[in-house]
Amino acid sequence: MATATPLVYAAIGETITEKAGVINLSAEGTIMLSAMVAFAIAQTTNNLFLGFAGAATMGALIALIVAFSTITLKQSQIAIGFVLALLCSDLSTFLGNPFVRIPGPTVPSWRIPLLQDIPILGPLLFRSDLLVYSSFALIFLSWFFFYRTRNGLLLRAIGEQPAAAFARGANVIFLRYFYTLFGGALMGIAGAAFSLDFKAGWSYRHTAGYGWIALAIVIFGGWNPLKVALGAYLFGILQSLASLAQSAIPQIPTQVFSVAPFVLMILVLALTGGDWIDRLLAPLPLSWRRPLAQALQATPPASLGKAFEQD
């Protein structure tokens, strides 16, 4: 759970942004720079809340650059995202140099009485910290917002058919700005979750690779918050298994185990895309094959990455 929690925030933040029709490929740099900012502020002020607030603000500011460049100026969303990912990664190294490998505050554990004593589920779910519990709420609330509220329907509409949503009175430009900034703030919180909780502290390229994994998880989860969270927990399981295998098989270089979860996650993503699903499910009965294929196949929002010309 601890391993997956930062990815839950980042992947759901990107899911919200992409549901609105905007691709924010700066996730890698956003998470890294936000992690540095969160640790620097929290270490300087000895205040965790200010650290998380600073990280969320940084994530939103980077997302604002993405939104202005792609929504207003109508530049390539992919190009802008890649440039910001590289720029923010290098900025985190340059600006974070004074804070490398020094102690700082971390999120305290908060065990829930009674619930923590439930067999199996208690140690797994209720002996963590407020950040982990908040991620559970984020998963449910984002799913409920998407599929059970009018505003969620409007969010999906501006990502699928923005012209139709505009014809019904929706301010597509404003909403895309809002959801892009909100998703960026969640990515910023993901960075803070790394440097103030999961990987407490700051070092060179502290969160390298996790931004790209978050982007892959969004595709793996088919832009559905529940499936996206499942993808994040799957990656967490892979990382935990890699740690266990590293101690159990010491003769294999440690680099193999540190890279293995990323490789396996990419493999899973490849197998759940294209016509691989149909091939993998071919031996199953047709009554099983159809619902499984629908559950596994991912369909992006129809207007994802496309500029909208508002009359």
Side-chain angles (χ1 to χ4, degrees):
M1 291 298 173
T3 304
T5 294
L7 283 174
V8 169
Y9 282 96
I12 289 185
E14 179 66 17
T15 300
I16 292 171
T17 299
E18 293 193 10
K19 275 288 190 181
V22 179
I23 305 174
N24 185 356
L25 291 185
S26 71
E28 175 76 358
T30 297
I31 293 174
M32 203 174 296
L33 185 57
S34 298
M36 187 281 297
V37 168
F39 181 77
I41 293 176
Q43 198 276 337
T44 304
T45 64
N46 198 32
N47 189 311
L48 285 171
F49 176 79
L50 290 179
F52 277 95
T57 303
M58 177 56 64
L61 287 175
I62 297 171
L64 178 60
I65 298 174
V66 173
F68 179 75
S69 302
T70 61
I71 298 174
T72 301
L73 300 182
K74 296 180 175 58
Q75 299 301 309
S76 169
Q77 296 183 10
I78 295 175
I80 294 295
F82 270 122
V83 169
L84 285 174
L86 297 173
L87 174 63
C88 293
S89 297
D90 290 341
L91 275 177
S92 70
T93 301
F94 175 71
L95 298 176
N97 190 55
F99 300 95
V100 172
R101 302 192 183 283
I102 62 175
T106 58
V107 177
S109 62
W110 185 32
R111 300 189 174 191
I112 301 179
L114 300 179
L115 293 178
Q116 67 172 345
D117 299 323
I118 299 174
I120 301 177
L121 291 180
L124 183 65
L125 300 178
F126 305 114
R127 295 184 184 179
S128 299
D129 54 51
L130 187 59
L131 196 64
V132 176
Y133 305 141
S134 299
S135 69
F136 299 156
L138 177 65
I139 295 167
F140 171 76
L141 290 175
S142 58
W143 173 86
F144 185 85
F145 177 78
F146 278 3
Y147 302 109
R148 293 294 184 272
T149 67
R150 179 180 177 83
N151 287 332
L153 177 62
L154 184 59
L155 166 61
R156 289 184 286 139
I158 64 174
E160 294 286 349
Q161 297 291 339
F166 176 70
R168 295 295 298 270
N171 190 336
V172 176
I173 300 299
F174 170 80
L175 290 174
R176 284 191 167 181
Y177 260 91
F178 175 80
Y179 288 118
T180 302
L181 266 64
F182 184 75
L186 287 178
M187 286 189 202
I189 292 174
F194 276 110
S195 60
L196 298 179
D197 192 4
F198 171 54
K199 295 175 67 176
W202 174 252
S203 59
Y204 171 68
R205 296 185 64 79
H206 195 65
T207 64
Y210 284 95
W212 304 119
I213 287 296
L215 293 169
I217 287 173
V218 173
I219 301 172
F220 169 81
W223 294 268
N224 182 309
L226 297 181
K227 295 179 183 178
V228 165
L230 179 63
Y233 291 127
L234 173 61
F235 184 79
I237 291 171
L238 293 175
Q239 280 204 310
S240 299
L241 290 176
S243 299
L244 292 172
Q246 183 174 337
S247 57
I249 317 174
Q251 59 270 27
I252 297 179
T254 58
Q255 292 85 349
V256 173
F257 296 106
S258 61
V259 172
F262 295 89
V263 176
L264 291 173
M265 194 66 204
I266 293 172
L267 179 62
V268 170
L269 180 64
L271 291 177
T272 55
D275 60 350
W276 279 101
I277 294 177
D278 295 331
R279 296 181 184 180
L280 291 172
L281 299 180
L284 298 177
L286 185 61
S287 58
W288 293 10
R289 195 188 313 161
R290 286 180 177 176
L292 284 174
Q294 291 176 354
L296 293 174
Q297 284 177 337
T299 303
S303 295
L304 181 61
K306 300 177 181 178
F308 172 66
E309 295 286 349
Q310 184 166 299
D311 296 334

